[in-house]
Amino acid sequence: GALIGAALQKLRAGQAREADGLLQSAIAQAPRDADLLAVAAGVARQLGRAGEAVALLRRALAERPQFAPLHNSLGAALKAAGDLAGARDAFERAAQLQPDLFDAQFNLGLVLDAQGVHAEAVAALRRASAIDPRRAEAHEALGNALVHAGEPAQGLAALRQAAALRPSSASVAHNIGIAQEALGDDEAALAAFRDAVRLAPSQALSWFAIGNVERRLGRHTAAVEAYAKTIELAPNHLDAH
């Protein structure tokens, strides 16, 4: 108990390495404590040791196999380790065990979208946004998945909900631009991308998008200026050269 308390104190102070050492000592004393293993896994992930986090979470799940949040944490660790298929299985298990667990539905939707399974991604993200309608990230991810699924009008509606909840998000503004492009409205797309760089002036991806739209509209001076800004912010952005 004392070791865990000290470890959590270190974590709150931003001292993950010190917390890690204390947690290893605590695990040596209580190797089957699922909560302890889960906290240690979170610290391992924070320190970039995703494989170790996966192993710790599998040990925790051996003790508490029906606990949905542990399956969700395992999915996050597997995703960080680059195993999307394993992550999907873990998120699906978490969502089966606890269908109203926002994180499980949200993370499942993101992985499905990344795998190109867009219709299933949309379904999972609709469930997430219904569980907690105030979470802008769920509406944003749903909007992106709908655009990927070939439903840009519905996608734009979801992204506008995200923007209403988080009006200062450059990411949401950029994704609204992508949805407008998919709808064939270059002027509206341009306005959204310019909104994104107003909110985050160093967002190279949005400057690059501005360059592409300006070029399509035949405004070559404006396109060159946007591409120059892209290269200034991200010198390795080869497409802008």
Side-chain angles (χ1 to χ4, degrees):
L3 277 172
I4 299 169
L8 291 173
Q9 208 169 2
K10 294 286 185 189
L11 272 180
R12 280 192 288 271
Q15 298 172 311
R17 289 193 186 283
E18 291 82 350
D20 186 47
L22 292 166
L23 288 164
Q24 296 305 327
S25 302
I27 288 169
Q29 293 176 19
R32 297 180 63 177
D33 185 322
D35 292 332
L36 179 55
L37 290 163
V39 173
V43 174
R45 254 190 75 203
Q46 206 175 318
L47 294 170
R49 304 196 309 256
E52 186 183 325
V54 168
L56 287 163
L57 287 161
R58 290 201 191 283
R59 283 172 62 184
L61 278 163
E63 305 303 322
R64 298 180 72 185
Q66 300 301 309
F67 190 52
L70 276 180
H71 288 279
N72 180 67
S73 295
L74 175 61
L78 286 163
K79 187 179 178 183
D83 181 358
L84 282 188
R88 174 181 172 176
D89 288 344
F91 293 138
E92 282 178 339
R93 183 71 182 128
Q96 283 168 359
L97 287 166
Q98 190 178 336
D100 65 347
L101 183 61
F102 173 88
D103 286 348
Q105 300 288 3
F106 177 69
N107 288 327
L108 175 59
L110 290 180
V111 166
L112 288 166
D113 200 35
Q115 288 185 316
V117 191
H118 302 308
E120 285 183 39
V122 165
L125 291 163
R126 282 200 198 283
R127 290 193 293 271
S129 54
I131 291 164
D132 191 347
R134 298 159 302 165
R135 297 284 288 269
E137 65 269 33
H139 295 289
E140 181 178 11
L142 173 59
N144 294 340
L146 282 161
V147 172
H148 300 153
E151 299 287 352
Q154 286 184 49
L156 182 59
L159 287 162
R160 283 188 170 140
Q161 280 184 278
L165 290 162
R166 197 179 287 169
S168 61
S169 170
S171 165
V172 172
H174 180 88
N175 287 319
I176 284 174
I178 290 172
Q180 295 284 20
E181 276 189 308
L183 286 163
D185 190 340
D186 278 342
E187 291 291 358
L190 189 60
F193 293 135
R194 290 210 176 275
D195 199 27
V197 297
R198 178 183 59 77
L199 292 163
S202 62
Q203 190 161 286
L205 201 60
S206 297
W207 283 109
F208 184 62
I210 288 167
N212 289 341
V213 179
E214 293 284 26
R215 187 175 62 176
R216 272 203 306 275
L217 293 169
R219 300 197 287 247
H220 298 294
T221 303
V224 168
E225 285 171 2
Y227 287 143
K229 189 72 177 173
T230 306
I231 293 162
E232 176 194 323
L233 293 166
N236 297 325
H237 207 305
L238 297 176
D239 289 343
H241 285 266

